Amino acid sequence: MFAEGILCLKKKITTRVLDYLKNYYNKVMSLPDSPKKIARGVALGIAFDFLPIPIISIPLSYLVARLIRCSPLAAVATVCVFKALVPVFFTFDLLVGKFLCGGAPETDVSISGLSFVGPYLEKVIEHGYPFLVGSLVNATLFSLAVYFLLLMLLERRRRQRNT
């Protein structure tokens, strides 16, 4: 009986998450901008989720999207939608960084006087160089992959609607 309850709860959560992602996908696909602008905005949002930028990643993604002339709505929506996966992204950043850097020397840096951001920066510095290398590599690779995949999907959808 208990196992059935857990399976039912798991099914409800999975259904809600999939519905949430489908809703996000449909909204992105129906944005009025050009496919290139939308794809660049989504790729930018994915890149910002891989980078170790805490709370300010949402307004920062908006500003950068405006500066590079891509869809700010797509960038901000992507950062918000994938915010729950940031711990997974950061773990992947660390794994890739350690794989690429091997045994990088530890850094001996201490942060003092920063009450709000201090603990976060201490964790980033604790993992050091491999984490930063992994985050840059993953942000680049995943954003490029998302850009080209979404551009292809957007152009195909626009062609189907025009015929």
Side-chain angles (χ1 to χ4, degrees):
M1 177 115 170
F2 180 71
E4 291 173 4
I6 290 177
L7 289 175
C8 182
L9 181 64
K10 182 180 175 185
K11 186 176 180 180
K12 281 184 181 180
I13 291 172
T14 304
T15 304
R16 286 183 184 167
V17 169
L18 288 176
D19 288 344
Y20 185 68
L21 290 175
K22 285 179 189 176
N23 187 24
Y24 162 75
Y25 174 78
N26 289 329
K27 284 183 181 179
V28 166
M29 295 300 277
S30 63
L31 285 173
D33 277 338
S34 73
K36 286 184 180 182
K37 285 185 176 183
I38 295 169
R40 275 188 284 173
V42 171
L44 179 72
I46 289 290
F48 269 89
D49 277 338
F50 273 102
L51 297 174
I53 303 170
I55 299 161
I56 63 166
S57 63
I58 295 170
L60 194 59
S61 68
Y62 176 81
L63 293 173
V64 171
R66 297 290 293 194
L67 285 173
I68 64 172
R69 294 191 176 127
C70 64
S71 173
L73 185 59
V76 170
T78 303
V79 169
C80 292
V81 165
F82 290 104
K83 206 39 111 177
L85 291 176
V86 166
V88 175
F89 292 166
F90 282 6
T91 303
F92 193 58
D93 289 346
L94 188 59
L95 291 173
V96 168
K98 285 193 176 194
F99 175 76
L100 293 175
C101 296
E106 294 292 322
T107 56
D108 187 25
V109 177
S110 66
I111 307 285
S112 62
L114 298 174
S115 61
F116 179 66
V117 187
Y120 173 77
L121 288 177
E122 297 242 351
K123 279 292 185 193
V124 170
I125 290 170
E126 178 182 316
H127 296 297
Y129 187 68
F131 176 70
L132 295 175
V133 168
S135 66
L136 290 173
V137 168
N138 287 337
T140 303
L141 293 178
F142 278 89
S143 63
L144 285 172
V146 164
Y147 172 76
F148 288 115
L149 177 67
L150 190 60
L151 184 62
M152 180 189 69
L153 291 172
L154 282 163
E155 287 177 346
R156 185 172 64 178
R157 183 174 175 154
R158 301 262 164 112
R159 275 195 308 265
Q160 288 175 349
R161 289 198 173 190
N162 289 338
T163 58

